[in-house]
Amino acid sequence: MAGVGFVLRRLVRTDSLSANLSGLGHATMASSGPWLITCIALVLIATIGDDQIDSTILRQFSILVTYNFSFSLVGSGALVMVVTRRLADCIFIHDLREVPALLVGAITLVFAIMALIGIVLYGYLLNLTLPERVFGFAGLLLSGGVWLTTAFISALKNYLIITTSFALGMLVSLLAALVLAEPFGLSGLLAGISLGLGTIFFLLLARITIEFPGSTEKPFAFLKASRHLWQLALAGCIINAAIWVDKWIMWFAPGATNLGNSLSSHEAYEAAMFLAYLSIVPSLALLLIDLETAFFERYSNFYRLIREHATLNQLREQHAEIKRVLMVGLKRIVLLQTAICLIAIVLAPSIVNAVGGGSEMVPILRYGLIGALFHVLLIAAMTVLAYFDLRYELLLVSSIFFVLSLVFTFVSTTIGGEYYGYGYFLAAMCSFFCALYLTSRRVNQLLFQTFIANNQTLRDR
């Protein structure tokens, strides 16, 4: 699934500064587009509409979009993981005939899952007017659809359509929300963001169907063929829940606010964590265009040599090259993210002041920045585990991250506000070191794992 990363890597390796910047920008959209663009749209709507829209309505709108992103990400996590793996298998065997049916079946299922979540959330839990429920529900459905299409866009070579889709979606969200907010209030804002998400979803969907034409018969056949991937599905759901569980807890912690209509939020914590997450965007782009692509080349060569009956010395040389590339790639990410983290920690008071936050956000932001450093390294390690099909290890790391984030965040809410953010930081750090140990052990034992541990004949004996 390194797909678009190879095209972008060629772009950033040209001698032109504009090409380098363009490549990094496209990589940012490919790796972080859905949440980054929507959050930018939210900020712009709040900034531009500050004089025209009631502040309470703006806050309610932000909370509802956050709810949609949270529950759609967790609800679609299992399906997105399985679809990503199934698509990667199709690409590997150079047989894409199944992809159109896979797309149709996956969209149907993700909409069904989002509908169930939406019925509970907007039908029972939230006290909203009918138009607000309808447009909030539509936003939830489209959010799930966007998460699903991201499983396909990495396989696309046309990076321009990815960036263009997200940019147009943000523009539509901004303009529609501002136009509809004054006459329709909260429902107008929700309709605007839904129109933007719909623009992104349908543009990406159109490109995917062009890229992968074919029959859509038996759209749910992939479920039977993917039954053995249950660990991957569970890991996809749990890792997304781990990202959000600290926010869920903080919605009910001291300092949280209730804006009516059953809407609860901890604005200081969520704003600080959003700023912390912004710090990993450059590293995610680097992961896509540098580490994953370089690793994938060596990874593919290793298994190609096996199929071509290469000598043991040749395999050992390629094994050493895999380890070297991983070390170099991780070192670059560590250096980049550490530099960003240290600069942001020093400038934390100024950053918080610039966004209009209170002093209580400063320590949360600092802990969040350190946590984000370990989080991006955790993503890199889990990417390697996924490539080697270590599904139990992926599930273990995801579960550790979820449990530790839940426990540590809950403990921090009981011992005082000065410890807010500690839970995420400690959970990300411990989970990364666990993932690093599992990844290092498996990579170092690659030859043994390939010829002995994964040998079905020896297992049967």
Side-chain angles (χ1 to χ4, degrees), residues 277-324:
Y277 284 145
L278 280 181
S279 72
I280 70 173
V281 169
S283 295
L284 289 176
L286 183 64
L287 173 63
L288 174 65
I289 62 178
D290 184 32
L291 175 59
E292 185 177 3
T293 50
F295 163 72
F296 178 76
E297 288 175 332
R298 277 68 175 186
Y299 164 92
S300 299
N301 287 338
F302 178 80
Y303 289 104
R304 177 183 57 79
L305 289 172
I306 292 176
R307 293 193 299 272
E308 294 175 357
H309 308 290
T311 65
L312 180 58
N313 283 337
Q314 288 176 312
L315 293 176
R316 283 174 173 166
E317 289 175 2
Q318 194 61 37
H319 181 205
E321 185 66 11
I322 288 175
K323 293 193 289 185
R324 185 193 68 79

Side-chain angles (χ1 to χ4, degrees), residues 355-376:
V355 299
S359 58
E360 71 278 7
M361 277 181 57
V362 175
I364 301 175
L365 175 58
R366 285 172 170 162
Y367 292 135
L369 288 165
I370 302 172
L373 166 63
F374 289 107
H375 194 165
V376 74

Side-chain angles (χ1 to χ4, degrees), residues 222-256:
F222 77 96
L223 293 175
K224 182 178 180 180
S226 305
R227 286 181 299 180
H228 65 291
L229 300 176
W230 65 268
Q231 308 98 325
L232 200 60
L234 195 54
C237 180
I238 292 175
I239 192 63
N240 289 339
I243 295 171
W244 279 98
V245 68
D246 58 321
K247 289 82 174 172
W248 295 340
I249 293 173
M250 293 302 298
W251 289 347
F252 306 98

Side-chain angles (χ1 to χ4, degrees), residues 386-458:
Y387 265 105
F388 288 117
D389 199 28
L390 300 171
R391 299 193 294 271
Y392 283 105
E393 286 81 351
L394 273 173
L395 180 57
L396 175 61
V397 172
S398 303
S399 301
I400 290 173
F401 190 19
F402 175 79
V403 172
L404 291 183
S405 187
L406 187 154
V407 172
F408 289 152
T409 302
F410 179 77
V411 171
S412 71
T413 63
T414 63
I415 59 179
E418 64 270 21
Y419 293 99
Y420 288 173
Y422 241 101
Y424 168 66
F425 151 55
L426 291 175
M429 181 181 68
C430 295
S431 302
F432 164 66
F433 283 120
C434 175
L436 180 64
Y437 168 74
L438 293 173
T439 304
S440 300
R441 188 181 68 170
R442 293 295 185 172
V443 171
N444 286 330
Q445 297 178 350
L446 182 57
L447 290 168
F448 171 81
Q449 291 293 328
T450 302
F451 292 102
I452 305 300
N454 292 335
N455 190 316
Q456 190 62 45
T457 303
L458 293 179

Side-chain angles (χ1 to χ4, degrees), residues 72-330:
S72 65
L73 186 64
V74 176
S76 63
L79 184 60
V80 169
M81 270 292 221
V82 171
V83 167
T84 302
R85 168 57 189 273
R86 192 67 190 166
L87 177 60
D89 289 345
C90 292
I91 293 172
F92 177 74
I93 62 176
H94 304 290
D95 186 357
L96 303 178
R97 290 174 297 177
E98 180 188 332
V99 175
L102 172 65
L103 179 63
V104 171
I107 289 175
T108 303
L109 287 175
V110 80
F111 279 170
I113 295 169
M114 293 304 106
L116 291 175
I117 296 174
I119 289 171
V120 175
L121 181 63
Y122 288 100
Y124 297 96
L125 297 181
L126 300 180
N127 183 23
L128 301 169
T129 66
L130 180 59
E132 291 165 357
R133 292 177 192 270
V134 170
F135 291 120
F137 184 82
L140 178 67
L141 289 178
L142 291 167
S143 296
V146 170
W147 294 125
L148 178 66
T149 54
T150 59
F152 291 83
I153 64 173
S154 181
L156 301 178
K157 300 297 189 294
N158 190 337
Y159 55 84
L160 285 174
I161 191 64
I162 298 172
T163 304
T164 302
S165 298
F166 287 124
L168 284 176
M170 181 184 70
L171 183 61
V172 170
S173 293
L174 178 62
L175 295 178
L178 292 175
V179 169
L180 297 173
E182 188 171 353
F184 301 108
L186 179 58
S187 60
L189 288 170
L190 292 171
I193 202 74
S194 296
L195 286 171
L197 289 170
T199 300
I200 295 172
F201 173 69
F202 287 110
L203 284 175
L204 291 177
L205 185 62
R207 184 61 205 182
I208 293 167
T209 55
I210 292 172
E211 192 89 7
F212 303 109
S215 172
T216 57
E217 294 181 3
K218 300 181 179 179
F220 303 109
F222 77 96
L223 293 175
K224 182 178 180 180
S226 305
R227 286 181 299 180
H228 65 291
L229 300 176
W230 65 268
Q231 308 98 325
L232 200 60
L234 195 54
C237 180
I238 292 175
I239 192 63
N240 289 339
I243 295 171
W244 279 98
V245 68
D246 58 321
K247 289 82 174 172
W248 295 340
I249 293 173
M250 293 302 298
W251 289 347
F252 306 98
T257 56
N258 192 309
L259 298 180
N261 299 334
S262 303
L263 297 175
S264 181
S265 171
H266 198 295
E267 295 182 12
Y269 184 86
E270 291 178 13
M273 283 298 163
F274 166 66
L275 293 172
Y277 284 145
L278 280 181
S279 72
I280 70 173
V281 169
S283 295
L284 289 176
L286 183 64
L287 173 63
L288 174 65
I289 62 178
D290 184 32
L291 175 59
E292 185 177 3
T293 50
F295 163 72
F296 178 76
E297 288 175 332
R298 277 68 175 186
Y299 164 92
S300 299
N301 287 338
F302 178 80
Y303 289 104
R304 177 183 57 79
L305 289 172
I306 292 176
R307 293 193 299 272
E308 294 175 357
H309 308 290
T311 65
L312 180 58
N313 283 337
Q314 288 176 312
L315 293 176
R316 283 174 173 166
E317 289 175 2
Q318 194 61 37
H319 181 205
E321 185 66 11
I322 288 175
K323 293 193 289 185
R324 185 193 68 79
V325 164
L326 285 176
M327 288 298 296
V328 171
L330 286 174

Side-chain angles (χ1 to χ4, degrees), residues 38-56:
T38 304
C39 290
I40 292 174
L42 285 175
V43 172
L44 291 175
I45 291 168
T47 303
I48 299 174
D50 187 43
D51 297 332
Q52 309 169 15
I53 309 170
D54 182 77
S55 59
T56 301

